[in-house]
Amino acid sequence: AKDRPGLLDDITQTFSAFDISIVRASILTQNTKVRNNFRIKVHGLTQLEMAIQKIQGIHGVERAIRL
């Protein structure tokens, strides 16, 4: 993603809105780019897919994928 003030908050608020718990987070920033990796606890695949879709729509996010 393109780093900007509030990006991490937007992502974590999305997890919260979908009742998703963050188990672990890793944030790496280089110049104007940021890579956020999250280990999360979800209740099902549909919940995960909806959250990923919402995160992909956040300003500055280039992609959100499940590993």
Side-chain angles (χ1 to χ4, degrees):
K2 183 177 179 185
D3 196 18
R4 64 169 177 80
L7 177 62
L8 182 59
D9 182 55
D10 289 346
I11 294 169
T12 58
Q13 288 295 324
T14 300
F15 286 142
S16 180
F18 283 94
D19 194 31
I20 294 173
S21 298
I22 298 170
V23 177
R24 184 177 4 189
S26 171
I27 314 301
L28 175 63
T29 304
Q30 291 182 319
N31 300 319
T32 62
K33 296 287 187 180
V34 63
R35 177 176 294 213
N36 298 306
N37 292 310
F38 298 95
R39 177 169 287 182
I40 57 176
K41 184 176 180 182
V42 298
H43 302 289
L45 186 57
T46 301
Q47 178 192 35
L48 175 62
E49 290 171 343
M50 290 173 58
I52 288 173
Q53 183 177 14
K54 182 74 172 178
I55 290 169
Q56 287 175 332
I58 293 173
H59 175 71
V61 172
E62 295 173 1
R63 68 181 179 155
I65 58 172
R66 175 185 177 196
L67 297 177

